[in-house]
Amino acid sequence: FNIGGIYSSQTQYSHALKYYQQALLIFRELNNHTGEGIVLNNIGQDHYKQNQYSQALSYFQQALEVRRKLGDSAGQGESLNNIGTVHHQQGQYSQALGYYRQALAINRATKNRSAEGVTLNNIGNIYHIRNEYLQSLEYYRQALIISRETSEIVLQGEVLNSIGGVYQRQGE
């Protein structure tokens, strides 16, 4: 599935999906459920990047199911966050928040600080959209602390930009 990843990074999603589907068949034949979960997630990501949200959601849910059966907590956190992101993009904020909260609990339990920072930022974004600025700022501040601890420079930039957006919307 590395070939699929290369095509995906070059935004050649149709080629990527072709290789991911081949990898998925092989992993299923070999009963390699770890590989299956990863590839299902990758397929979901490529559909998501193409705004094909129903397909993305289907693959993310399949990945979540495989990862639950494996007891792959980190993978479950990733899948839950991805499912939340699809709902977020579709304007289904309550559903997104529910998935993000599940992901956050797992990320904290597994001490996956990078994933925790991303999920906190995503939750902050939901509250920002809902004009719940104090809540959004609280989640953004937590995400910022973690992004600095983990040296996640891109996330730091995203969070700082979002904090500025909150203050701008409040007229400060």
Side-chain angles (χ1 to χ4, degrees), residues 25-142:
L25 288 173
I26 292 168
F27 284 134
R28 285 179 170 165
E29 286 176 15
L30 297 173
N31 288 318
N32 181 333
H33 300 299
T34 301
E36 179 183 4
I38 291 168
V39 172
L40 287 166
N41 185 70
N42 291 346
I43 293 170
Q45 286 288 355
D46 280 3
H47 283 294
Y48 178 84
K49 291 172 190 172
Q50 297 178 84
N51 301 320
Q52 298 170 346
Y53 299 127
S54 62
Q55 295 97 320
L57 188 58
S58 173
Y59 282 99
F60 289 149
Q61 289 170 331
Q62 290 177 63
L64 177 61
E65 183 63 29
V66 168
R67 290 166 163 179
R68 280 187 172 148
K69 288 179 182 174
L70 285 172
D72 175 6
S73 296
Q76 289 174 58
E78 178 183 32
S79 293
L80 289 163
N81 189 71
N82 290 341
I83 292 168
T85 302
V86 172
H87 286 294
H88 183 162
Q89 285 300 316
Q90 294 181 311
Q92 300 166 341
Y93 303 126
S94 294
Q95 293 95 319
L97 198 53
Y99 283 103
Y100 288 152
R101 285 184 176 143
Q102 290 178 64
L104 182 61
I106 290 171
N107 294 335
R108 286 180 169 163
T110 59
K111 300 186 186 335
N112 187 340
R113 297 289 281 169
S114 293
E116 181 181 353
V118 169
T119 303
L120 286 164
N121 185 57
N122 290 344
I123 293 171
N125 289 338
I126 295 291
Y127 285 116
H128 189 163
I129 289 167
R130 290 176 154 184
N131 299 323
E132 297 178 39
Y133 300 125
L134 291 177
Q135 284 281 76
S136 68
L137 286 173
E138 178 55 34
Y139 283 97
Y140 288 148
R141 286 186 181 123
Q142 290 177 54

